[in-house]
């Protein structure tokens, strides 16, 4: 298997929870990067931490690893291996997948521990070049 590269984003992110029928604040759509997930039970939004949203709950100060892609759908176990390495180090994650790649968020105070754990598993860690 080729050595996988993960890029660390400099931006801090917040994860917000809303009732599923809550209208989405238009400021979300003007961000360079945001994630929205909706089910019958909830609406979750991830945005840069400097954005203020009137959510039911929020978790601040997350840093983001981006699995450098694009990743084909035939590639299996990528998120499992990354999350496993972080789990073995006692690091909680918030994972997001897109069509092209995966994003793994960790609390900012765990970032260096996460980098160390992933480096020990031969992942190449680089700074995100926006």
């Amino acid at each position: 298997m080729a050595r996988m590269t993960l890029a660390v984003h400099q931006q801090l992110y917040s994860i917000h929870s809303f009732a599923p029928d809550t209208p989405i604040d238009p400021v979300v759509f003007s961000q360079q990067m945001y994630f929205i997930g909706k089910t019958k039970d909830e609406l979750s939004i991830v945005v840069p931490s400097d954005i203020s949203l009137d959510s039911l709950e929020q978790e601040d100060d997350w840093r983001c690893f981006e699995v450098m892609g694009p990743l084909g759908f035939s590639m299996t176990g990528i998120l499992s291996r990354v999350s496993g390495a972080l789990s073995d180090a006692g690091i909680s994650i918030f994972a997001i997948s897109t069509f092209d790649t995966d994003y793994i968020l960790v609390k900012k105070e765990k970032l260096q521990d996460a980098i160390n754990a992933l480096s020990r598993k031969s992942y190449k860690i680089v700074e995100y070049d926006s």
Side-chain angles (χ1 to χ4, degrees):
M1 178 175 68
R3 187 172 182 201
M4 181 85 35
T5 300
L6 301 171
V8 179
H9 291 229
Q10 291 302 308
Q11 179 72 56
L12 283 174
Y13 292 94
S14 293
I15 304 166
H16 295 266
S17 176
F18 300 88
D21 57 346
T22 304
I24 297 172
D25 188 321
V27 73
V28 170
F29 301 109
S30 67
Q31 302 311 302
Q32 182 176 358
M33 189 166 96
Y34 61 88
F35 297 97
I36 299 171
K38 183 178 179 190
T39 68
K40 67 179 183 59
D41 298 319
E42 70 168 315
L43 169 66
S44 294
I45 299 177
V46 178
V47 290
S49 288
D50 56 354
I51 302 303
S52 178
L53 299 177
D54 187 20
S55 53
L56 298 172
E57 291 183 65
Q58 78 181 60
E59 280 280 329
D60 294 320
D61 296 330
W62 292 83
R63 294 289 301 273
C64 179
F65 288 98
E66 178 179 343
V67 179
M68 298 310 289
L71 308 175
F73 283 106
S74 63
M75 297 178 73
T76 61
I78 294 167
L79 186 56
S80 174
R81 286 190 298 277
V82 172
S83 63
L86 296 173
S87 176
D88 289 347
I91 299 169
S92 296
I93 67 165
F94 187 88
I96 301 167
S97 294
T98 66
F99 193 91
D100 287 336
T101 195
D102 295 315
Y103 298 84
I104 298 94
L105 281 69
V106 301
K107 293 296 274 187
K108 75 174 182 181
E109 63 270 10
K110 292 290 189 175
L111 179 65
Q112 191 57 56
D113 292 340
I115 290 170
N116 294 343
L118 293 165
S119 296
R120 282 193 299 274
K121 297 287 186 179
S122 297
Y123 288 94
K124 180 179 178 185
I125 310 297
V126 298
E127 294 292 320
Y128 183 75
D129 185 24
S130 52

